[in-house]
């Protein structure tokens, strides 16, 4: 399949679309957007050429796997160690100022 490297997007089409969208574009902006939109259309066409039913859809180029460590119980701080630096405590709990005016 031989096709042109440049799409058939014209400056008139870009100006027409800008008018429909109520976007005021200068002639320089129209020229730049004509080139950019043409490149986008060409890129989509290239993808469409290789996107055949036998090619599976992917979201990432490489397979993703989650790496989890084993969930094992390990020694941790005692209640006394955990509360040793607390400015205020209530038995085995931290005491903090009320924020909802509730007891």
């Amino acid at each position: 399949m031989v096709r042109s490297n440049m799409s058939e997007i014209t400056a008139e089409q870009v100006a027409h679309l800008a008018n429909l969208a109520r976007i005021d574009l200068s002639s320089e902006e129209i020229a730049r957007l004509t080139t950019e939109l043409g490149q986008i259309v060409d890129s989509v066409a290239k993808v469409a050429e290789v996107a055949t039913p036998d090619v599976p859809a992917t979201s990432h180029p490489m397979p993703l796997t989650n790496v989890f460590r084993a969930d094992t119980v390990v020694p941790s701080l005692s209640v006394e160690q955990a509360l040793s630096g607390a400015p205020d405590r209530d038995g085995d709990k931290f005491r903090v100022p009320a924020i909802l005016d509730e007891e």
Side-chain angles (χ1 to χ4, degrees):
M1 172 186 211
V2 176
R3 53 178 201 85
S4 163
N5 285 340
M6 196 60 185
S7 71
E8 299 300 321
I9 301 291
T10 66
E12 291 76 25
Q13 290 172 321
V14 173
H16 179 68
L17 289 173
N19 183 48
L20 290 174
R22 305 290 190 254
I23 299 172
D24 187 21
L25 297 176
S26 68
S27 57
E28 292 82 17
E29 290 171 319
I30 291 173
R32 182 175 47 83
L33 287 171
T34 300
T35 301
E36 290 175 2
L37 289 172
Q39 291 170 346
I40 291 169
V41 169
D42 288 343
S43 296
V44 170
K46 286 179 188 176
V47 170
E49 286 177 7
V50 296
T52 59
D54 58 324
V55 176
T58 59
S59 61
H60 299 288
M62 298 172 56
L64 298 179
T65 57
N66 287 327
V67 180
F68 295 106
R69 64 174 173 80
D71 190 11
T72 56
V73 177
V74 295
S76 60
L77 298 174
S78 69
V79 172
E80 286 306 315
Q81 290 170 322
L83 293 173
S84 66
D88 196 8
R89 67 187 273 186
D90 181 11
D92 290 345
K93 303 175 189 95
F94 292 96
R95 181 184 297 274
V96 296
I99 59 169
L100 299 176
D101 294 331
E102 296 179 6
E103 300 259 340

